[in-house]
Amino acid sequence: MVEYSEQALDRTFSALADPTRRAILGRLMSGEARVTEIAEPFEMSLNAVSKHVAVLERAGLVRRDVQGRVHQLSFEGAPILEAARWMEETRRFWEARLDALEAFLEKAKAKNTPPDEKETKS
Amino acid sequence: MVEYSEQALDRTFSALADPTRRAILGRLMSGEARVTEIAEPFEMSLNAVSKHVAVLERAGLVRRDVQGRVHQLSFEGAPILEAARWMEETRRFWEARLDALEAFLEKAKAKNTPPDEKETKS
DNA sequence: GGAATATTCAACCATATGGTTGAATATAGA
DNA sequence: TCTATATTCAACCATATGGTTGAATATTCC
C-alpha cells in the first residue's frame, strides 16, 4: 500500500465536496481566469467566490499568479492525481472482491439454482 | 462530458474528507464487520463512530445489514467508482493541457533559449 | 422475566463552513 | 492626484460537523 498524506486527502476531498468549487475547477480547466471572471456566472457575491478560491488554493488545486491588482488563477492537477490514486487503490480492492463474488455466483449458477440478479440502482 | 449527480458527488467527497471515515472504509474493505468491531481501534466513543458510519451509509459507501441487534456493515464501491470517474475526467483534461505545455516547452528548447525548468514541489 | 449486549436517539457543546455586507488595500488609468 | 477597478480582510450570522454523555430500544441469553 502506498502512503498518503491524510491531511492532503482531507483538504482535497473537502475542497471537491462543493458544487461551486467543482464548477470553478471546471471553468479553470479550460484556461486561466481572474477572480472576477470566475465569479461572474455565479449567483453569490464576489466575496463568497473569493473564499471558495481560497479553499481551492489551500488544497493546492488552484495556483494564484498575482500580476498587479489582477490575480490570475490556474488549475493545478497534482492533488487530484493523488486523491484519484487513493480512490483507484480503494476501488481496485473492491473490484477484486467483487470479481471474486461474481466468480462465485457464476459457479453457483453453473451448478444449479441461479442466485438473485444483481440489483440496479435508480 | 458525462453527467454527474452533483448531490451524489457532494456526499461522496465529503464522506471521504475525514480520516476516520477513510479508515473505516479501509477496515471494511478487508471484510464485513459490526459497528462495535469497527469502533474498537478508535480513540473516540462508540457513538461518534456510529455517526461516522451513518455518514458513510448516507453517501452509499457502506451497506448495513441488520441481523437482530447486530448491524453488519460492508463496503459499497459504486459511489467511489462514480467519483473516481469524475476525477479521471478532470485529470485527463488537465493532463492533456499539461502534455500540450510540455510539447511547447520541448519545441522551445529545441529552438534555442531553454525556458525555466519545471518546479518540483517539496 | 430479567440481565447483558448492540446499537441508535437526543441533547448539548465547540468549532468549521458558506454566505452576507462594509471597509481596506493596492494598482491602473485619466 | 483623483477615480475607478480588482481583490482581500473583518465582522457577523445561520447552519453543519464532529465530538461528548445519558437514555432509549431491541435483541439475545440464562
Side-chain angles (χ1 to χ4, degrees):
Chain A
M1 269 280 193
V2 189
E3 269 303 308
Y4 296 99
S5 154
E6 294 293 319
Q7 290 200 3
L9 288 176
D10 284 4
R11 279 194 297 266
T12 304
F13 283 129
S14 61
L16 293 177
D18 180 285
T20 303
R21 287 195 292 263
R22 287 195 302 274
I24 292 175
L25 286 185
R27 167 69 184 76
L28 284 179
M29 280 191 315
S30 51
E32 286 197 346
R34 299 172 299 140
V35 177
T36 321
E37 282 170 4
I38 291 290
E40 201 266 321
F42 295 102
E43 301 257 288
M44 68 193 71
S45 72
L46 171 67
N47 279 8
V49 173
S50 172
K51 278 195 191 179
H52 279 301
V53 169
V55 171
L56 289 167
E57 195 185 8
R58 243 173 282 128
L61 288 159
V62 155
R63 219 187 51 210
R64 182 189 304 262
D65 216 334
V66 181
Q67 301 162 0
R69 63 182 166 178
V70 170
H71 296 206
Q72 287 287 351
L73 306 174
S74 52
F75 179 67
E76 193 61 68
I80 294 234
L81 200 60
E82 187 74 1
R85 274 208 344 230
W86 183 90
M87 294 180 90
E88 258 301 300
E89 232 170 64
T90 304
R91 194 181 64 76
R92 271 209 314 275
F93 243 75
W94 170 68
E95 291 217 322
R97 292 179 45 75
L98 196 69
D99 286 350
L101 174 63
E102 279 189 295
F104 167 77
L105 292 177
E106 207 55 38
K107 224 165 42 181
K109 195 170 173 181
K111 256 189 180 160
N112 41 18
T113 2
D116 291 339
E117 293 292 327
K118 256 172 64 189
E119 289 174 21
T120 23
K121 274 270 179 60
S122 62
Chain B
M1 265 281 193
V2 190
E3 271 302 308
Y4 295 99
S5 154
E6 294 294 320
Q7 290 200 3
L9 288 175
D10 284 4
R11 279 194 296 266
T12 304
F13 282 130
S14 60
L16 293 177
D18 180 287
T20 303
R21 287 195 291 264
R22 288 195 302 274
I24 291 175
L25 285 186
R27 168 66 184 76
L28 283 179
M29 280 193 314
S30 52
E32 286 197 345
R34 299 173 297 138
V35 177
T36 322
E37 281 170 6
I38 292 290
E40 200 268 320
F42 295 102
E43 301 257 289
M44 68 192 70
S45 71
L46 170 66
N47 281 8
V49 174
S50 172
K51 279 195 190 179
H52 279 300
V53 169
V55 170
L56 290 167
E57 196 186 8
R58 244 173 281 129
L61 288 159
V62 156
R63 220 186 52 207
R64 183 189 302 262
D65 217 334
V66 181
Q67 301 163 358
R69 64 183 167 182
V70 169
H71 296 207
Q72 286 287 350
L73 306 174
S74 53
F75 179 66
E76 192 61 66
I80 294 233
L81 199 61
E82 186 74 1
R85 274 210 342 231
W86 182 90
M87 294 179 91
E88 256 304 298
E89 233 170 62
T90 304
R91 195 181 63 77
R92 272 209 314 273
F93 244 75
W94 169 69
E95 290 216 322
R97 293 180 42 77
L98 197 69
D99 286 350
L101 174 65
E102 279 190 297
F104 167 78
L105 292 177
E106 206 54 38
K107 218 160 53 177
K109 195 170 171 180
K111 257 191 180 158
N112 43 20
T113 2
D116 292 339
E117 292 293 329
K118 257 173 60 189
E119 289 174 19
T120 23
K121 276 268 179 63
S122 63

